Amino acid sequence: MAGKTILTADLYDNVLTERPGDYVAKPRITGTYRNTDVAADIVAERTEFRPETIVTILTMADQKKVQAVASGKSLVDGVGQYLLNLSGSFEGEAPVFNPEIHLPGVTFTPGKPLLEALKNITFNLNKATTGPVINQVTDVRTQSVNQQITPGKNVIISGANLLLKGDNPANGIFFTKDEEGATPQKVEFFSRSTTSEQIVEVPEGLTDGQYKVSITTQAGASYSLLKEPRTYVFPILLTVGKLPGGGGDSESPDEI
């Protein structure tokens, strides 16, 4: 029997209850795994395959899978099942689809191999150090949640300990393109700034691609001021422009 996979989860105060000692856990994300990494791992095990060939095949498979889901098919692969869903309110006997309020999305159900792998995980639980944490990013223009963002328009960043405090020059909210050597773009305009929510304007100059959003602040719990700044990087990549694989553009779609 394979040994257990040991991961770490950080414990945060559960703001949905007033009971002391009640926490929610967030697993620590250990990195990003891409097709190039898949190819490298396969080559390490089966050296007769060229990594460039593997990446090409995986990329072509991704494109075909996106097309299948976008055409209304149920996609089943080695990871799980993907199905279209549709959110929004529909009124009357004969409602009309409105792309500004009726947002297509995808429901994912883990397949048997992934479910079996999940059974083999155990966690070391640590009380999180006091610092910022982002739970959700919502594009105000499109209402897209944790998916697309629109340069020059506002996003709502929800979480805890998000208030920007302290005079360290590293403090701020940043959007950084997910590529080697990218320069973080600092947010300049704020509509609202509290410990649980930041409403900020996405920098105008962001080009099409995927971005990491991060916050660095000296704010601690209960409006305390930390000596050194702490940074939280939201683990979900946010997209400017077309979604990977040919999805719609940015003009179109618990927690602590």
Side-chain angles (χ1 to χ4, degrees):
M1 180 178 177
K4 286 283 187 180
T5 300
I6 302 174
L7 301 176
T8 299
D10 295 315
L11 300 174
Y12 296 88
D13 289 322
N14 186 355
V15 299
L16 299 180
T17 72
E18 297 182 0
R19 190 167 66 251
D22 187 12
Y23 300 99
V24 294
K26 284 182 172 289
R28 289 187 194 172
I29 303 303
T30 60
T32 301
Y33 195 66
R34 306 181 185 280
N35 282 348
T36 50
D37 302 304
V38 176
D41 285 349
I42 292 175
V43 169
E45 297 176 1
R46 304 279 300 273
T47 54
E48 70 269 25
F49 296 108
R50 288 173 53 84
E52 298 84 358
T53 302
I54 298 172
V55 170
T56 298
I57 294 172
L58 291 174
T59 301
M60 292 171 64
D62 289 342
Q63 293 169 348
K64 294 301 181 184
K65 291 177 182 181
V66 168
Q67 292 171 10
V69 175
S71 65
K73 291 182 172 63
S74 166
L75 171 66
V76 179
D77 64 10
V79 181
Q81 181 183 25
Y82 305 77
L83 290 169
L84 277 178
N85 61 44
L86 187 59
S87 63
S89 176
F90 300 86
E91 299 181 2
E93 296 290 331
V96 177
F97 176 78
N98 181 345
E100 294 195 1
I101 60 175
H102 301 141
L103 307 177
V106 175
T107 301
F108 172 74
T109 303
K112 184 177 179 180
L114 180 55
L115 290 173
E116 291 298 322
L118 295 178
K119 292 178 183 178
N120 202 43
I121 297 174
T122 186
F123 284 94
N124 291 326
L125 301 176
N126 294 326
K127 184 72 165 59
T129 55
T130 303
V133 61
I134 297 171
N135 291 329
Q136 181 173 290
V137 179
T138 303
D139 186 279
V140 172
R141 181 175 185 179
T142 65
Q143 294 303 299
S144 173
V145 177
N146 296 343
Q147 190 172 26
Q148 290 179 294
I149 54 176
T150 308
K153 303 300 179 182
N154 282 351
V155 291
I156 302 172
I157 301 173
S158 306
N161 299 328
L162 298 180
L163 195 64
L164 293 176
K165 295 185 67 174
D167 56 8
N168 193 297
N171 293 340
I173 296 174
F174 302 87
F175 290 84
T176 307
K177 200 164 191 177
D178 186 39
E179 60 185 27
E180 188 174 352
T183 301
Q185 303 296 308
K186 189 173 184 177
V187 166
E188 300 293 340
F189 301 105
F190 295 76
S191 298
R192 174 179 169 84
S193 179
T194 70
T195 189
S196 62
E197 184 178 88
Q198 293 279 352
I199 301 179
V200 305
E201 182 181 299
V202 178
E204 284 265 13
L206 299 191
T207 57
D208 286 2
Q210 292 190 294
Y211 288 80
K212 298 176 182 177
V213 61
S214 63
I215 179 170
T216 299
T217 179
Q218 291 167 262
S222 302
Y223 297 94
S224 61
L225 181 66
L226 303 176
K227 184 176 180 180
E228 297 294 333
R230 290 185 175 145
T231 298
Y232 183 86
V233 180
F234 191 48
I236 300 176
L237 294 176
L238 306 172
T239 300
V240 172
K242 289 185 178 297
L243 289 170
D249 60 28
S250 59
E251 307 252 345
S252 319
D254 257 341
E255 308 292 345
I256 69 170

